[in-house]
Structures are given as structure tokens and as C-alpha cells.
Amino acid sequence: MSQTQAMIERLTAIAGAGHVLTDEAATRPYRTGYRSGSGEVVAVVHPGSLVELWHCTQAAVEAGAVIVPQAANTGLTEGSTPKDHYDRPAVAINAMRIKGLQLLGDAEQAIALPGATLFELTQTLAPYGREPHSVIGSTSLGATVVGGVCNNSGGALCRRGPAYTELAVYARINAHGELELINELGVALGDTPETILDRLERGDYRPEDVDWHAGKASDDGYPEIIRGADEPGAARFNNDPRLLYGVSGSAGKVMVFAVRMDTFEQESDVRTYYIGSNDTAQLAQFRARFLREASKLPITAEYLHRELFDVARRYGKDSFLIIKKLGTARLPGAFALKNRIDRLFRPLPLLPDPITDHVLQRLSRLLPDPLPARVVEWRDRFEHHLILRVNGDMVEETEGFLDECFPEAWFRCTADEAERAMLHRFAAAGAGVRYQTIHHDEVEDILALDIALARNDRDWFEELPESISRDLVHRLYYGHFFCNVFHQDYVFRKGADVAAHKAKMLEILDARGAEYPAEHNVGHLYPAKPPLAAFYRRLDPTNTFNPGVGKLPRDPYYGRPAEG
């Protein structure tokens, strides 16, 4: 029996035959990235407990296999899946069966096991009047709390930086190739890995076992950083060296069993303003002045360009209406159903793929425009749109800024207008992908960049050279305006050299001092800068976990001799 087959049998004995996949069709969803990328594995295993997760990791390490840790696979830069071919057998260990959330204190903190989603945490905290770090976007796709921390994921909220904690339980492989369990959770759970993990999963600890001074459980320094609108350097971006610690920013270079996170008081008495402008300098001046002078930070400040407004109005309408009719509570189930239907019909050669996108797009054309009349009027009048949300005690101050900076170019939304404006902004995030799906014969690819400009960069709206713009079908711009973080999706016409255009774009961003990616991690698409590369090497000196992430070498020990 080969070593690989022996490993598969050992994994089967640990997790059960029904939870170890080896067939190519069965493993495909776990080998393929959410947006792009794919690779080879000899098996996908779904352990059902933390102890099983530990034993599966042991089995793979002892067999000399590559390990790709995986949860919901919602990453956009290919870092959640295997990549191409490895020089060793590869195993994807998917932790989505291992659910569990434990609240500490008066729900001031939460411990999340690896399969717990951000949406589930949101629902769990709601009765306590609390909410997690992020409350928009990936919650609908089933992204996990652990995945957000491992990727230093950002978010739309102006008062919170990237997802970060110093409190976690994880496994790493030391320089001698030995697997070791690290308990930095700040909870006394015992001494052996099996004891620690079993007690953790069962919540078998007392209040006095919890150390409330063990370390930070959020990026509590962000409000001061975002205020520095006249300072150089990005406000927030993935893999900021100050936020690389243990699990935080690890991007699959360790196996994570739990993270401990701060929670936050739910926002109440929220007021929403819709702002239009045809002058990018006017918007930049407003941002800098508000950050310098306002007594409090806003809740969110979401930007939308008119070209994306139009694309989202047509290609995001069904997403808008599904959320509006079903509510966020049913959204994860709707996405799961959609994925099941797509997988069922994918083998049929005469049907477009994914089938649900084509059906939903056709149906959406028959439905009325759900956007409020005043929002549509602002679309006709203004190229640039800003949705600003503040607390009720900021109304007078905020409207004073708006009157001075945007006379007759803003309005306070009704509750219905506010909801619909934010739903439109939400739907915009996926509109480019839907456009590509429907017009695949005309589109070469979508290049999705998320960038963090320097805080003092007022020239935020880019001007591309004609050598690039002539190959574009659409430029779709949106972002978190007060953070100076922008998502820029470029839809390239058929035949365009997207790789060459990307290289040129990144050169332009480098010259501006921008940081990228701002929110989606380097994955397999971007090179890790020296501080991040050094962090990966320290976490995983043998290069067993997720080799090649950050475009680092893929071979054992990164091609260097192993330590004796």
C-alpha cells in the first residue's frame, strides 16, 4: 500500500467514510476557487470535531502531505483552495462541519469554532444588542469568523479596522517538522491537545478560567488611524504588519481551531444621507474635513460610481429583490440552494453555466425597478454617489457639513429609501460577475482590484492610460470612502491581454504608494511583501500549509535545507 493510500485510509478511520472525498467530481467544489483558481488534491476531508481536526492534521503531516486548510471557500484571490500541482500529495481539510459559538461575559466577546459563520454570529449576538466586527457583504455568502481573521478581512464600518485578534487556538509545524498545538486563547483548558480541544468544543471551562487581559481581540487603534486624513500611509489593508499575529493574517499557514473576538454594541437611531457630486475634489475635501472636524466618526460612508450604478441596476436587480423579499436570515440558505442547482445542471452540455444566473437574469427583466425615485434622480444628475450613515446625535453636525460642502446635492433618506439605497450598494458588489456570466462571449475576464490609497491622497479617482481603457467594456468602481479603500472591477473585452494590463495597473498603484489587496488577501494572485513573507515563513517553516500563497516557493522548506 502506498503512503498516500495509507493516509487516506487513516483519514477515513478518523472522520468516517462519508466525510472523505476522493472522486474528482465530488472534490471539485473544494478544489475550485469562488471566483478563479483550482488545483489538485488526493482527498478532501471533513472532520466532525476539533479532536478529529487535530488527528486529521496529524495524519497528513506524518504522511508528508501538503495541507490546504479550508472553511467556506468564499475567498476571492484563490487562497482558500489548492493551486495547480504540488510536488507532494495534497489534502484539503475542510472545517465547516465544526460549528460552535460561545459567548463570554455579557456577550462582550465570542469564541468561534472554525465552521461558525459571520452570519451565525450576527444572529447569536442580536438578542444581546451586540454585533460582530463586520455586518455587510460576506455574511450572505457564509464566510466564517475564522476565515475573516486569517485574511485580516476589512469591512464597511468606519470605526473598525481589519478583523484581528491575538487570542486563538491553532496548530503549527515547527522547523523540525513537529506538529504542535498553540493555546493563546486566554482560557485555561488543560495540557494535552486532545484535552484542550475536547474541553474547548464542549465549553467546559469556568468564568474564572477566562483571562480578560490575555491580549487584544480587535483592532482597537483604528479610529485614531482613520482620523489621520492628512497623514501618509493607508488607513487599513490586508496584512498590515502591525496586525500580523498568530492566526491573524495567517492565510492558511496554520490550522485554526478557534478564535476569540470582541463584539460591539448594535447601532441604533441611524440616519442615512444620499449625496451626489460631479467633482472628485469636492468629495475628497468633504472626506478630509469630516474626519478632521466631526465629533464622531460616521457608521459607514459607501461610494458608488454611476457606471456601476447602471450595471448593478440591471445585473444586480435579482440580488436586490431576493434580499428585500427574503431578508438576510434566509440568504445563506438561498445561496446554498442556488449552488446545489448549479451543480446539478452543470454536467448538461447544452445549458449555460451557472444555470441559475441566466434564469434569474431573464426573470429580473420582467420586474419593476426597485430603486427610489430620488435615488434615480440623483443618478441622472451626478456621476459620483455617496451613502453616509451616522447616529442620530450627529444629525445637526452632519447636515451642517453637507450644507456647506454639497449645497442642494444631498437629501436625508426615508427609512425605505435608506434600505433600498444600501441594498443597491450591496448588489453592486456582484454585478460585474453577473455581467461576465451573461456576456461571456464578449468578455475576456474581470480584473478585480481592491486598493487602499494613502490617507492623504486626494486624487482618488483614477485616470487610466488609453492603452488600457481601450480594452475595457466597463469600469466598475465602489468602495469604503472614508477609509480611502476602493473596489475596482475592470471588465475586459474579448481578446484583451488581461495579465499585461494588470501588471501595468499595479505599477501605477505602486507609484502612488497604494496598498493592495486591501481586503481580499494576497492568495495566489499577489506576491507577499517582505514583512508578510517573513511572517508566513515563521508560522510555517516547513512550507506544509498552503504552499505557494503569496507567490512564495512551493517546495518543502521553501527550497532551503531543513534544520537538523
Side-chain angles (χ1 to χ4, degrees):
M1 180 187 301
S2 69
Q3 187 177 35
T4 297
Q5 187 58 40
M7 175 187 66
I8 293 172
E9 291 194 5
R10 185 175 171 188
L11 293 172
T12 302
I14 295 167
H19 302 297
V20 178
L21 309 177
T22 56
D23 178 76
E24 184 174 348
T27 62
R28 185 181 185 276
Y30 308 97
R31 295 184 291 104
T32 306
Y34 181 78
R35 180 174 280 172
S36 65
S38 63
E40 299 177 1
V41 293
V42 297
V44 176
V45 57
H46 294 80
S49 70
L50 293 181
V51 172
E52 285 187 8
L53 178 58
W54 168 255
H55 288 156
C56 287
T57 306
Q58 279 184 317
V61 170
E62 292 171 12
V66 160
I67 300 172
V68 181
Q70 188 180 80
N73 189 17
T74 59
L76 300 182
T77 54
E78 305 182 3
S80 305
T81 49
K83 179 67 173 179
D84 300 333
H85 176 73
Y86 298 99
D87 59 352
R88 298 155 278 169
V91 177
I93 302 182
N94 186 291
M96 287 304 293
R97 288 180 64 208
I98 311 174
K99 301 285 189 178
L101 292 163
Q102 300 165 15
L103 302 184
L104 302 180
D106 295 323
E108 298 163 309
Q109 289 187 340
I111 293 174
L113 302 190
T117 67
L118 194 55
F119 179 81
E120 290 164 349
L121 180 56
T122 301
Q123 297 294 95
T124 300
L125 291 173
Y128 299 87
R130 310 285 293 180
E131 63 186 20
H133 161 268
S134 181
V135 294
I136 190 173
S138 58
T139 54
S140 66
L141 302 175
T144 61
V145 179
V146 165
V149 173
C150 291
N151 292 315
N152 281 147
S153 297
L157 300 174
C158 295
R159 302 167 188 167
R160 303 173 200 170
Y164 176 74
T165 186
E166 298 168 356
L167 309 175
V169 178
Y170 60 98
R172 68 183 297 272
I173 302 172
N174 63 30
H176 304 291
E178 301 163 340
L179 184 68
E180 49 190 25
L181 187 73
I182 309 296
N183 180 9
E184 296 175 341
L185 197 64
V187 180
L189 293 164
D191 299 317
T192 67
E194 284 82 3
T195 299
I196 291 169
L197 296 174
D198 178 62
R199 289 184 60 190
L200 170 59
E201 187 163 3
R202 291 188 291 109
D204 180 20
Y205 50 86
R206 303 162 300 172
E208 54 265 36
D209 294 327
V210 178
D211 182 357
W212 287 91
H213 304 286
K216 291 184 177 182
S218 64
D219 179 17
D220 58 0
Y222 187 67
E224 182 178 353
I225 292 172
I226 190 178
R227 287 276 195 183
D230 299 315
E231 302 297 324
R236 64 172 172 87
F237 56 99
N238 274 156
N239 311 307
D240 183 339
R242 72 184 182 87
L243 299 178
L244 299 177
Y245 185 101
V247 166
S248 296
S250 59
K253 298 301 286 181
V254 295
M255 183 64 72
V256 185
F257 296 87
V259 295
R260 177 176 160 189
M261 304 292 293
D262 284 334
T263 69
F264 303 86
E265 186 177 352
Q266 279 183 346
E267 301 291 355
S268 59
D269 190 23
V270 178
R271 310 297 171 87
T272 302
Y273 297 92
Y274 204 94
I275 303 157
S277 178
N278 292 312
D279 184 351
T280 58
Q282 182 186 38
L283 280 163
Q285 291 164 5
F286 171 68
R287 170 185 168 270
R289 182 178 172 189
F290 200 105
L291 290 174
R292 282 195 307 259
E293 301 176 18
S295 59
K296 291 171 59 177
L297 289 168
I299 300 168
T300 57
E302 292 297 286
Y303 168 76
L304 193 68
H305 185 256
R306 181 159 55 194
E307 187 169 358
L308 179 54
F309 185 110
D310 292 342
V311 171
R313 193 177 180 186
R314 181 171 181 180
Y315 296 93
K317 185 195 291 187
D318 59 286
S319 296
F320 180 116
L321 293 171
I322 287 171
I323 301 169
K324 177 70 174 170
K325 298 298 182 183
L326 295 182
T328 55
R330 297 183 180 178
L331 207 53
F335 272 96
L337 176 61
K338 176 185 182 301
N339 290 335
R340 286 197 296 270
I341 294 172
D342 288 337
R343 285 198 298 269
L344 179 65
F345 283 91
R346 185 169 286 123
L348 302 180
L350 298 181
L351 293 179
D353 183 38
I355 185 64
T356 56
D357 286 271
H358 290 267
V359 171
L360 288 170
Q361 187 60 38
R362 287 182 176 273
L363 290 176
S364 70
R365 296 177 185 174
L366 306 176
L367 300 174
D369 188 349
L371 291 177
R374 283 202 291 183
V375 170
V376 173
E377 179 189 348
W378 250 238
R379 178 262 168 227
D380 295 338
R381 291 178 57 188
F382 302 108
E383 180 180 1
H384 305 285
H385 297 240
L386 187 65
I387 307 169
L388 184 69
R389 299 170 69 239
V390 303
N391 295 109
D393 60 1
M394 295 179 66
V395 166
E396 182 177 355
E397 181 180 30
T398 299
E399 294 185 2
F401 282 123
L402 294 175
D403 280 334
E404 293 179 23
C405 297
F406 303 101
E408 299 183 359
W410 66 272
F411 61 87
R412 188 200 296 183
C413 297
T414 65
D416 181 66
E417 287 173 329
E419 179 188 19
R420 291 174 184 269
M422 287 304 295
L423 283 175
H424 185 55
R425 160 63 185 87
F426 180 93
V433 175
R434 171 63 65 79
Y435 182 94
Q436 180 187 27
T437 298
I438 302 302
H439 300 281
H440 60 92
D441 290 337
E442 307 163 25
V443 174
E444 182 67 30
D445 201 0
I446 290 182
L447 173 58
L449 298 182
D450 55 301
I451 63 172
L453 298 178
R455 290 171 292 173
N456 61 356
D457 190 342
R458 305 286 189 264
D459 190 20
W460 57 272
F461 191 75
E462 73 173 359
E463 294 291 338
L464 289 172
E466 197 272 338
S467 60
I468 296 176
S469 61
R470 68 190 179 197
D471 276 341
L472 287 171
V473 179
H474 286 296
R475 282 179 278 192
L476 308 177
Y477 297 157
Y478 58 107
H480 315 304
F481 192 69
F482 275 28
C483 302
N484 238 13
V485 168
F486 296 94
H487 298 274
Q488 300 181 169
D489 295 350
Y490 306 90
V491 184
F492 281 97
R493 68 180 73 256
K494 205 71 172 179
D497 188 342
V498 178
H501 288 321
K502 178 181 178 180
K504 179 60 178 177
M505 288 177 171
L506 296 185
E507 286 181 13
I508 295 171
L509 292 174
D510 288 338
R512 297 184 64 182
E515 296 284 355
Y516 56 84
E519 296 190 332
H520 295 151
N521 214 318
V522 294
H524 287 286
L525 298 184
Y526 299 91
K529 291 185 177 181
L532 179 60
F535 178 64
Y536 287 163
R537 291 175 186 270
R538 288 196 304 273
L539 282 180
D540 180 24
T542 67
N543 203 19
T544 295
F545 288 106
N546 219 6
V549 69
K551 296 192 177 293
L552 291 178
R554 296 163 60 87
D555 42 355
Y557 291 89
Y558 305 93
R560 299 174 179 175
E563 292 187 12

